[in-house]
């Protein structure tokens, strides 16, 4: 059973008023890019990445010379998996997370993904007592050091850029199917300017150390690709000098969303001002979203958009239209999240 999450998160009550428009933030749970079968809770990480040639992808562009250099990258996959395991352990999403320290495909072609045979997957799962395998199939880095001359300061500066391509697969024992995802990440390091060009270069990290830092960063970053993760989103609430609107905002400040909805609905049912009606429907939608009632949120958001579409295409229209798109996206994400969380 996966840990339980409040899918719509918590409201951060930091309201910013701007001409009767109040902004606030909420924490929302985003779905992962990969969906694990919710009943498979014992994860095994394996290293299926072939070692990249030390002579591939490492460039240095000085002002007076360009060259390729040798950089050992044989440990990048290990650092990446270690960092990912540490993140997975801290999240308690799986019942157990283990890492096989052996390199399955150390001598393969690093440019190509090699699928792990079903027999090997079954053997690994039996050995470690796991029922799902996440394999790092490829980690390739291309890095380039560029030297610059800053004429205004009569000085030198350097930048190191590294682009990592990683490929991952999910396997299950006794299954012929697997899913594969690929990610691309770029990192930069910059030196301070110096009148001495070699001093400027020396202020960059050693190339091999920088690539290790990059591999660790990717491992940590992948946690939000393989597991649901928290993110912040802005919401806006319309207000005005109307007595009921002010009373509703008083309820909002104290997190009394149902009380605010009652006041907004009362004004919605009586006003003949379509601009105000659209704003009220929008507020009702947001309150329902925060309260976890997505059906009502979608209903009133749709009403709000239908009303405002018949009015002027002003700022209010575009705010409501953007929220409509955002809310429908959230509705799809919540369905996927429930699948990922086994709910």
């Amino acid at each position: 059973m996966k840990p339980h999450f409040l899918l719509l998160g918590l409201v951060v009550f930091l309201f910013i008023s701007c001409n009767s428009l109040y902004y606030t933030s909420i924490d929302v749970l985003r779905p992962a890019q990969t969906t694990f079968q919710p009943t498979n809770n014992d994860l095994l990480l394996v290293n299926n990445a072939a070692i990249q040639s030390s002579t591939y992808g490492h460039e240095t562009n000085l002002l007076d010379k360009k060259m390729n250099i040798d950089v050992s990258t044989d440990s990048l996959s290990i650092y990446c998996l270690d960092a990912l395991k540490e993140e997975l352990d801290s999240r308690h999403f799986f019942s157990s997370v283990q890492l096989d320290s052996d390199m399955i495909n150390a001598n393969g072609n690093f440019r190509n993904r090699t699928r792990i045979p079903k027999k090997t997957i079954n053997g690994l799962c039996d050995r470690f007592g796991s029922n799902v395998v996440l394999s790092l199939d490829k980690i390739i880095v291309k890095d380039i050091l560029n030297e610059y001359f800053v004429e205004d300061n009569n000085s030198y500066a350097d930048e190191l850029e590294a682009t990592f391509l990683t490929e991952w697969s999910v396997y299950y024992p006794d299954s012929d199917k697997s899913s594969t995802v690929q990610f691309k990440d770029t990192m930069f390091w910059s030196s301070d300017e110096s009148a001495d060009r070699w001093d400027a270069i020396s202020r960059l990290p050693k190339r091999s150390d920088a690539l290790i830092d990059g591999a660790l960063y990717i491992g940590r970053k992948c946690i939000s690709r393989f597991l649901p993760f928290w993110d912040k989103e802005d919401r806006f609430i319309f207000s005005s000098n109307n007595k009921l609107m002010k009373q509703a905002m008083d309820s909002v400040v104290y997190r009394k969303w149902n009380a605010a909805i009652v006041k907004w609905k009362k004004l919605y049912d009586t006003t003949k001002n379509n601009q105000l009606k659209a704003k009220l429907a929008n507020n009702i939608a947001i309150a329902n979203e925060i309260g976890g009632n997505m059906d009502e949120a979608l209903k009133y958001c749709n009403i709000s958009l239908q009303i405002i579409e018949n009015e002027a295409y002003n700022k209010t229209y575009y705010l409501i239209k953007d929220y409509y798109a955002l809310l429908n996206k959230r509705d799809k994400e919540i369905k996927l999240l429930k699948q990922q969380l086994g709910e």
Side-chain angles (χ1 to χ4, degrees), residues 25-70:
S25 295
I26 63 173
D27 291 328
V28 294
L29 192 63
R30 298 285 190 202
Q33 296 184 37
T34 299
T35 299
F36 293 93
Q37 293 179 9
T39 55
N40 294 68
N41 295 319
D42 296 298
L43 177 68
L44 175 64
L45 301 174
V46 300
N47 188 354
N48 187 40
I51 297 173
Q52 177 178 334
S53 169
S54 63
T55 61
Y56 176 84
H58 314 297
E59 299 180 29
T60 296
N61 291 339
L62 303 179
L63 293 172
D64 54 358
K65 182 170 59 175
K66 295 183 178 181
M67 55 187 170
N68 295 321
I69 65 171
D70 284 12

Side-chain angles (χ1 to χ4, degrees), residues 144-248:
I144 181 169
L145 186 154
N146 288 308
E147 182 184 33
Y148 304 97
F149 181 70
V150 185
E151 292 186 4
D152 292 345
N153 300 327
N154 197 31
S155 61
Y156 298 87
D158 297 86
E159 182 181 80
L160 176 61
E161 175 183 332
T163 299
F164 289 81
L165 177 68
T166 56
E167 197 163 316
W168 307 75
S169 294
V170 178
Y171 298 88
Y172 298 93
D174 300 317
S175 175
D176 294 320
K177 296 181 179 180
S178 65
S179 58
T180 302
V181 289
Q182 190 177 90
F183 307 115
K184 187 176 183 180
D185 298 280
T186 300
M187 278 143 281
F188 300 90
W189 296 261
S190 298
S191 73
D192 294 328
E193 293 181 22
S194 175
D196 185 328
R197 65 184 299 195
W198 304 115
D199 177 60
I201 291 177
S202 70
R203 296 184 183 188
L204 288 174
K206 184 180 177 182
R207 189 81 63 105
S208 58
D209 292 341
L211 298 186
I212 289 173
D213 287 344
L216 291 169
Y217 169 79
I218 291 168
R220 290 189 288 266
K221 184 177 181 179
C222 278
I223 193 71
S224 61
R225 293 163 168 169
F226 295 128
L227 299 187
F229 64 98
W230 290 104
D231 193 15
K232 287 191 180 296
E233 281 192 351
D234 290 332
R235 294 292 185 270
F236 57 88
I237 298 173
F238 294 102
S239 185
S240 71
N241 291 324
N242 181 280
K243 182 179 179 180
L244 278 174
M245 286 287 267
K246 288 183 176 180
Q247 291 175 354

Side-chain angles (χ1 to χ4, degrees), residues 70-191:
D70 284 12
V71 181
S72 175
T73 58
D74 57 350
S75 62
L76 295 186
S77 57
I78 299 170
Y79 281 108
C80 181
L81 286 166
D82 278 341
L84 176 58
K85 183 181 185 305
E86 185 176 340
E87 291 293 322
L88 288 167
D89 286 338
S90 69
R91 301 301 175 91
H92 306 291
F93 186 83
F94 295 95
S95 298
S96 65
V97 178
Q98 298 182 77
L99 171 60
D100 183 6
S101 57
D102 294 335
M103 300 181 74
I104 297 176
N105 189 33
N107 298 317
N109 186 335
F110 70 89
R111 291 183 176 87
N112 300 328
R113 169 184 176 265
T114 301
R115 178 182 171 84
I116 304 177
K118 177 180 175 181
K119 182 178 179 181
T120 302
I121 293 295
N122 290 342
L124 287 168
C125 288
D126 289 341
R127 176 183 162 197
F128 287 91
S130 302
N131 52 24
V132 56
V133 173
L134 175 60
S135 70
L136 174 57
D137 297 328
K138 184 190 297 183
I139 180 167
I140 298 176
V141 59
K142 289 185 177 181
D143 48 272
I144 181 169
L145 186 154
N146 288 308
E147 182 184 33
Y148 304 97
F149 181 70
V150 185
E151 292 186 4
D152 292 345
N153 300 327
N154 197 31
S155 61
Y156 298 87
D158 297 86
E159 182 181 80
L160 176 61
E161 175 183 332
T163 299
F164 289 81
L165 177 68
T166 56
E167 197 163 316
W168 307 75
S169 294
V170 178
Y171 298 88
Y172 298 93
D174 300 317
S175 175
D176 294 320
K177 296 181 179 180
S178 65
S179 58
T180 302
V181 289
Q182 190 177 90
F183 307 115
K184 187 176 183 180
D185 298 280
T186 300
M187 278 143 281
F188 300 90
W189 296 261
S190 298
S191 73

